Amino acid sequence: KLRPSSMTGVTLLEPNLLVCSSYWMREIYLVQFDENNYEILDKKTTISNNKPTQTELLDSIKTDDGYEIVASNFDNHPLSFYKVKNNKINFLRSCPDINLGICHGVKFYKSDKVVAAVSGCSNPKKGVYGFDKNKSKPFFHLSHKWLCKDIGFIGENIMIVLLCNSAPHDNEKRIYDTAIEVYDIQKQPALIDRMEFKNKIGRAHV
């Protein structure tokens, strides 16, 4: 069964400049746009472990000479990094050199670290991981029994995690509940608050 995914990731670099990625085409695009038109300035094959890869979500951070992009690679090598400079995209590296399973959300945390949301129903490694960009060993791991789908930050140390309690199956009547959790990650992830959304109308998934 094919996954119905096309453009799964996007990150805004400037008010009229973005980077997006295609899951099935295995490409990443630099796009300039306005209210009436757009232009693809550059496109490259998405890479992981020296092979073309499918990508999930993106994030970006401004550097002294352009922008750095991080992409989650779904069920391949977890993260890949790209450089945007002079309207060109170039692959930098893959990280970390370990198999975490299905990697969904990813965000830069400060300038030298990234945080990734990992799921997979039977994956014992699922949860949220924090990585130094140049090291494989995580500086934290938030283990979770639910599936972690995306993450965000409020300020420097407050992390938002979006979760659901199952994954899509062929049974259309299966119900998936969703939750949002708030953590302080200054030392180790400490739960601050949680809001759960009960789905009463049938199939839904985040």
Side-chain angles (χ1 to χ4, degrees):
K1 182 179 179 180
L2 293 177
R3 183 180 182 218
S5 303
S6 53
M7 291 292 182
T8 55
V10 61
T11 180
L12 191 66
L13 307 184
E14 298 173 7
N16 296 100
L17 188 68
L18 62 81
V19 169
C20 59
S21 59
S22 170
Y23 181 89
W24 283 116
M25 293 298 292
R26 301 182 183 189
E27 291 180 334
I28 189 168
Y29 308 87
L30 179 65
V31 181
Q32 191 171 44
F33 67 96
D34 57 31
E35 294 180 357
N36 301 309
N37 208 348
Y38 71 91
E39 178 184 2
I40 298 176
L41 303 178
D42 195 22
K43 70 175 181 179
K44 294 288 171 58
T45 300
T46 46
I47 299 293
S48 178
N49 265 359
N50 299 315
K51 297 178 181 179
T53 185
Q54 296 159 331
T55 54
E56 187 76 347
L57 300 180
L58 303 174
D59 195 26
S60 59
I61 189 170
K62 188 172 177 57
T63 62
D64 292 338
D65 59 347
Y67 296 89
E68 190 166 346
I69 312 298
V70 60
S72 59
N73 295 329
F74 195 61
D75 56 355
N76 291 314
H77 200 261
L79 306 174
S80 294
F81 292 87
Y82 303 84
K83 182 75 175 183
V84 174
K85 181 179 178 180
N86 298 328
N87 288 338
K88 296 293 183 182
I89 304 172
N90 288 296
F91 172 75
L92 294 177
R93 62 193 177 279
S94 298
C95 170
D97 191 21
I98 52 177
N99 180 19
L100 294 179
I102 297 176
C103 188
H104 288 282
V106 61
K107 292 290 187 297
F108 279 103
Y109 173 63
K110 303 181 180 179
S111 61
D112 60 340
K113 296 177 175 61
V114 292
V115 176
V118 176
S119 72
C121 288
S122 59
N123 180 11
K125 297 179 181 179
K126 63 179 177 284
V128 179
Y129 289 80
F131 291 100
D132 185 294
K133 290 193 301 184
N134 300 306
K135 298 178 182 178
S136 293
K137 185 177 180 180
F139 65 87
F140 82 75
H141 172 212
L142 169 65
S143 180
H144 211 292
K145 64 180 182 180
W146 281 37
L147 309 184
C148 300
K149 290 310 192 78
D150 203 3
I151 47 180
F153 290 98
I154 300 176
E156 188 171 284
N157 295 306
I158 302 301
M159 179 176 71
I160 310 296
V161 182
L162 178 64
L163 313 104
C164 64
N165 65 352
S166 189
H169 296 277
D170 292 334
N171 182 2
E172 294 295 327
K173 295 181 180 180
R174 189 182 180 98
I175 293 176
Y176 313 110
D177 294 329
T178 302
I180 296 175
E181 293 182 344
V182 183
Y183 290 86
D184 185 338
I185 63 169
Q186 190 166 8
K187 294 182 179 179
Q188 287 294 322
L191 182 64
I192 298 174
D193 199 6
R194 173 184 170 90
M195 181 178 292
E196 190 169 322
F197 304 90
K198 291 291 186 181
N199 176 16
K200 301 181 182 299
I201 60 174
R203 185 181 176 93
H205 188 64
V206 295

